[in-house]
Amino acid sequence: MIVLLLGSGGREHALAAALAKSPALTRLIAAPGNPGIAKLAECRAVAIDDLDGIVALAQAEKVDLVVVGPEAPLVDGVVDRLNEVGIRAFGPTAAAARLEGSKAFTKEFCARHGIPTAGFRRCRSAEEGHAAVDAFGVPVVVKADGLAAGKGVIVAETLAEAHAAVDHMFGGALGAAGAEAVVEEFLDGEEASLFALVDGKTALFLGDAQDHKRAYDGDEGPNTGGMGAYSPAPVLSPALIDQAMNEIVRPTVAGMAEEGAPFVGFLYAGLMVGPDGPKLIEYNVRFGDPEAQVVLPRLKDDLLELMAAAVDGALEGRKLKFRPETALSVVLAAKGYPGDYVKGTEIRGVETAEKRGQVTVFHAGTALDGGRLVSAGGRVLAVTALGADAAEAQMKAYAAVDLIDWPEGFCRRDIGWRAAAAAEEG
Ligand code: AMP
Ligand code: GLY
């Protein structure tokens, strides 16, 4: 199979590494890719928002399967565009991608199908938002409806904060994403992520993970796209995984099919595990980043063959197999991230770090500048290690991180603290 992979982050590097292992792969093309992906694929300079360019590239290269990494092209309908010209694509159509693209759609969908999630009110004006805040009391969560690159959610502890969040959303700060908002009940518990591989009808459990969203040690500082992750998530016992698959993921897949928008692709459920079991916080319609960098290295099955089966609606009766080890990934980011940071600073030592056993350095925001590897984004590398348990994976990951020489970068030193402490207690 000739495969075209769309995206340029650490998630896409992890997807490329998994695809490259498949005996069914004849050629891997990436658009736009990055220097890590370039070791596994032919990279083409087509941007992720250039849907015409993507369709033209897939046609010119007679691609058998397009694999879409990030959410924006999915929400914009790249799968629909490819299907219209007869090209197979792994990922949801625009109609199915509303599970990530519109929080109001997802909340109302959950209500229609009895899927456990926080109580909510859909608000079309600041006035409705303020009334909903008063009705719920605090703590309360205010969310912009559309895609807001992680900036659309405010967990407010006080009424003043909650009302200010409503004004912020409807004040136009988030553009079209903030035209509507959802105000919802605060859920208490521990967060975990669950991934499923979905073919329109059948959902297979594809692993679980926990990530660290805050920028600094001790889960302090601003929210980011994710500073590190580990898999599996100790909080999700096999019984809780079954419960989440049966009460949340499978009813979602059945409901989407029933409503005429069958879901195909990776379904990423953000869960809150509290006293009355797992509840849905949100859906994403693609793999997580950096969750892909810890879940995919544990998958034993052939990812390409599975993706092709998902597109063909042929997953029924299958079960995925995982390595028993824990995978843990530490993100190296440019100093200043998630605020302002400089690009183009040199990174040394990646090849030395990669020579360590059971370590992979995934590239996220990197570029080549005449033979030198330089930074080209906020999150720049994700250093993943496999270990017998979280404590060992953590030790191996940081030993590899310490071989990377990049004075303009930083990382958290406590990724996996909760899981590593649990592993040490045995
Ligand atoms: P989201 O983009 O919907 O995943 O929200 C971002 C983060 O806000 C989540 O990872 C949670 O930490 C937090 N959050 C969102 N909704 C809730 C809720 N209903 N209760 C508690 N925390 C929430
Ligand atoms: N790491 C969170 C996400 O990919 O959305």
Side-chain angles (χ1 to χ4, degrees):
M1 266 188 272
I2 303 175
V3 177
L4 170 60
L5 171 64
L6 303 181
S8 62
R11 165 181 54 212
E12 286 77 23
H13 190 185
L15 285 166
L19 292 170
K21 288 194 280 190
S22 173
L25 184 75
T26 49
R27 261 179 87 200
L28 184 59
I29 305 165
N34 68 36
I37 295 170
K39 293 188 179 162
L40 305 163
E42 305 160 36
C43 294
R44 298 298 168 77
V46 176
I48 204 70
D49 58 358
D50 175 7
L51 301 198
D52 292 334
I54 291 166
V55 172
L57 174 62
Q59 286 182 309
E61 298 292 355
K62 300 190 167 45
V63 164
D64 298 299
L65 184 70
V66 177
V67 174
V68 188
E71 64 277 15
L74 293 167
V75 171
D76 289 345
V78 72
V79 169
D80 309 70
R81 291 283 310 272
L82 289 161
N83 289 344
E84 274 162 27
V85 297
I87 294 171
R88 293 173 0 130
F90 177 82
T93 59
R98 282 178 298 168
L99 283 175
E100 178 165 358
S102 168
K103 298 203 189 277
F105 169 80
T106 302
K107 297 300 290 191
E108 290 182 344
F109 175 89
C110 287
R112 283 197 293 280
H113 296 278
I115 293 162
T117 184
F120 74 103
R121 270 207 212 174
R122 185 171 179 177
C123 307
R124 293 180 179 81
S125 66
E127 213 171 20
E128 287 179 18
H130 291 304
V133 163
D134 288 330
F136 278 109
V138 285
V140 71
V141 186
V142 182
K143 300 184 175 184
D145 178 61
L147 291 183
K151 298 190 179 74
V153 176
I154 294 170
V155 180
E157 306 283 344
T158 65
L159 281 175
E161 251 181 283
H163 288 296
V166 169
D167 287 331
H168 174 73
M169 303 266 159
F170 286 101
L174 300 171
E180 271 197 37
V182 165
V183 173
E184 64 178 49
E185 169 203 0
F186 176 81
L187 296 176
D188 219 351
E190 188 172 334
E191 282 185 70
S193 304
L194 180 145
F195 301 89
L197 181 71
V198 183
D199 72 353
K201 313 180 291 281
T202 299
L204 304 180
F205 173 66
L206 179 64
D208 54 353
Q210 282 182 296
D211 75 340
H212 294 266
K213 289 201 172 69
R214 302 297 194 102
Y216 312 131
D217 285 17
D219 294 322
E220 305 269 353
N223 259 317
T224 71
M227 294 300 290
Y230 47 96
S231 170
V235 65
L236 286 179
S237 63
L240 282 171
I241 289 170
D242 281 348
Q243 193 181 349
M245 288 296 294
N246 290 332
E247 293 178 5
I248 297 174
V249 174
R250 292 198 173 102
T252 297
V253 171
M256 292 299 284
E258 219 177 278
E259 296 189 10
F263 187 94
V264 174
F266 295 125
L267 186 60
Y268 163 172
L271 304 176
M272 188 67 85
V273 184
D276 22 283
K279 289 192 180 176
L280 181 74
I281 299 176
E282 63 152 3
Y283 273 128
N284 296 302
V285 298
R286 35 95 189 156
F287 228 111
D289 187 338
E291 289 85 348
Q293 293 93 307
V294 290
V295 171
L296 293 175
R298 295 186 54 235
L299 180 69
K300 282 188 179 170
D301 300 271
D302 179 335
L303 183 66
L304 177 52
E305 189 265 321
L306 285 170
M307 287 174 156
V311 172
D312 292 342
L315 291 178
E316 197 182 342
R318 299 184 56 153
K319 192 170 190 289
L320 307 182
K321 290 190 224 58
F322 299 92
R323 300 165 65 121
E325 290 97 330
T326 293
L328 183 141
S329 192
V330 178
V331 169
L332 272 70
K335 279 182 187 162
Y337 173 80
D340 294 338
Y341 53 82
V342 296
K343 294 184 184 178
T345 58
E346 186 169 3
I347 306 160
R348 295 191 190 83
V350 169
E351 277 161 17
T352 318
E354 279 179 322
K355 285 199 187 99
R356 297 187 73 95
Q358 295 195 298
V359 168
T360 311
V361 181
F362 293 110
H363 290 236
T366 65
L368 285 173
D369 176 9
R372 296 180 320 145
L373 185 69
V374 298
S375 65
R379 292 190 294 172
V380 170
L381 297 170
V383 180
T384 299
L386 285 168
D389 58 23
E392 190 184 291
Q394 186 188 51
M395 197 187 67
K396 284 185 178 169
Y398 280 109
V401 164
D402 289 337
L403 295 171
I404 294 173
D405 174 15
W406 181 33
E408 293 81 8
F410 78 102
C411 68
R412 281 182 57 162
R413 300 300 311 190
D414 64 347
I415 298 303
W417 61 267
R418 200 186 255 127
E424 269 160 6
E425 275 170 23

